[in-house]
């Protein structure tokens, strides 16, 4: 298919908007919300579009997740005088032509690991779908890439030469494969948030040499760097960027601490790389035992299930295998694959409770005050797909019912 650059605005008023697109396997939603907070701190009303929905100046918009819903959200932004949108771009939407229908001014790449391969048919198609965001950027636009991810450097090779490159790097992903404009020196994580010391650079100086976010986990250092690099590349003041990152509230279902004694956390991690990082964070913060409740989606690629089990098995003291969204696949078969990975992981004591609500109750009721209970896989979701039916279910609401805590 011939690539037409730059993509034309679908409606005349859309030419007034500056749109950031964020893609990758993990960290898209958090990066979108961090960047929107940065824009707000810099005095620019912003629309955020992500897996958790639409928000305009931080306030949710009740609009459908559709092309028309997206257009209506952008129209509301324009009507109230806002000119900046931050949009999460999934691989499926990009494969269907998102970047050919909406003009993106900056592309941000978080990272890439195995996921959605059943949807795309091959790893190559998955990567090529992500690349659509960057290959359609117009001359003089900016691509913000992860210098610690080899797939970021593969994208660099296919992005048009007249697109500016800016790179960020966190050692939590791995060593820098190329010099980065913005890099992490150290990361400190507590149940209150994540603090980042920056490696010396011109951009680090602009940010005051350090960043802080309320989100809990080393992975959020990487997300904060991606948002900060995008903000600096867009010409925003460093002080406003640092302030916007620090004041951004945690995203629902992204290492969201819902209760204490025991500490109960809900997280959206649903593939091996994200699960390993999330479990490692919980392990670091645990003064007692780590309980992990997790499952895997049905009717999707089974290749990630054993690695998911291995990731949990290496960190958890107790792993409870349960249903995620089994769809039409046998829950027992999915659980068998996860259990095989857990056995290889070697550390965790394994239990199987396929009723997700009962599995969460078992962990929360059994954990001691110094333990951490991590409930992974569904995060902010409010439904569970069993067979052909979507059954109302929320990990967050189940935890709040059990603990008597209030949702912040």
């Amino acid at each position: 298919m011939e690539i037409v650059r730059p993509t034309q605005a679908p409606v005349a008023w859309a030419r007034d908007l500056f749109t950031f697109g964020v893609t990758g396997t993990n960290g898209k939603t958090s990066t979108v919300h961090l960047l929107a907070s940065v824009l707000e701190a810099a005095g620019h009303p912003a629309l955020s579009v992500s897996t958790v929905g639409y928000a305009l100046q931080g306030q949710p918009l009740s609009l459908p997740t559709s092309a028309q819903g997206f257009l209506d959200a952008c129209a509301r932004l324009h009507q109230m005088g806002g000119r900046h949108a931050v949009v999460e771009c999934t691989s499926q939407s990009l494969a269907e032509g998102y970047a050919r229908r909406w003009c993106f001014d900056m592309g941000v790449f978080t990272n890439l690991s195995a996921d959605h391969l059943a949807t795309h048919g091959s790893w190559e198609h998955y990567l090529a779908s992500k690349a659509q965001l960057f290959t359609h950027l117009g001359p003089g636009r900016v691509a913000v890439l992860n210098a610690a991810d080899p797939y970021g450097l593969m994208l660099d090779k296919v992005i048009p030469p007249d697109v500016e490159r800016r790179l960020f790097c966190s050692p939590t992903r791995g060593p820098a494969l190329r010099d980065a404009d913005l890099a992490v020196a150290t990361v400190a994580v507590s149940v209150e948030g994540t603090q980042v010391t920056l490696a010396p650079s011109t951009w680090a100086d602009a940010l005051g040499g350090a960043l802080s976010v309320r989100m809990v986990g080393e992975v959020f250092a990487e997300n904060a760097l991606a948002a900060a690099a995008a903000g600096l590349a867009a010409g925003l003041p460093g002080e406003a960027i640092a302030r916007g990152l620090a004041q951004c509230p945690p995203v629902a279902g992204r290492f969201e601490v819902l209760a204490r004694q025991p500490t109960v956390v809900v997280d959206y991690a649903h593939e091996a790389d994200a699960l390993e990082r999330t479990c490692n964070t919980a392990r670091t913060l645990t003064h007692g035992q780590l309980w992990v409740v997790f499952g895997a989606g049905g009717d999707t690629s089974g290749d990630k299930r054993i690695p998911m089990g291995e990731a949990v098995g290496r960190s958890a003291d107790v792993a409870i295998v349960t249903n995620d969204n089994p769809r039409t696949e046998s829950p027992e078969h999915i659980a068998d694959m996860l259990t095989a990975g857990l056995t290889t992981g070697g550390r965790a004591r394994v239990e199987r409770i396929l009723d997700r609500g009962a599995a969460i109750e078992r962990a929360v009721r059994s954990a001691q005050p110094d333990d951490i209970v991590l409930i992974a896989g569904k995060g902010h979701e409010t439904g569970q797909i069993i067979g052909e039916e979507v059954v109302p279910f929320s990990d967050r609401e189940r935890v709040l019912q059990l603990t008597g805590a209030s949702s912040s």
Side-chain angles (χ1 to χ4, degrees), residues 47-50 52-56 59-66 69-70 73:
L47 169 72
S48 64
V49 181
S50 73
V52 299
Y54 303 94
L56 184 54
Q59 298 303 308
L61 296 178
S62 297
L63 291 169
T65 305
S66 64
F70 171 72

Side-chain angles (χ1 to χ4, degrees), residues 65-135:
T65 305
S66 64
Q68 187 59 52
F70 171 72
L71 199 62
D72 289 345
C74 290
R76 291 195 192 183
L77 170 70
H78 189 269
Q79 289 162 7
M80 58 88 68
R83 294 296 181 264
H84 294 81
V86 191
V87 180
E88 179 176 340
C89 300
T90 66
S91 56
Q92 185 171 353
S93 68
L94 289 168
E96 292 171 353
Y98 201 174
R100 297 194 302 273
R101 297 187 179 95
W102 186 263
C103 181
F104 288 91
D105 300 282
M106 187 180 298
V108 181
F109 170 76
T110 59
N111 52 68
L112 201 73
S113 58
D115 199 14
H116 304 299
L117 297 188
T119 300
H120 291 279
S122 70
W123 179 265
E124 291 77 14
H125 189 271
Y126 181 46
L127 177 58
S129 298
K130 299 290 189 185
Q132 295 299 301
L133 175 61
F134 303 94
T135 56

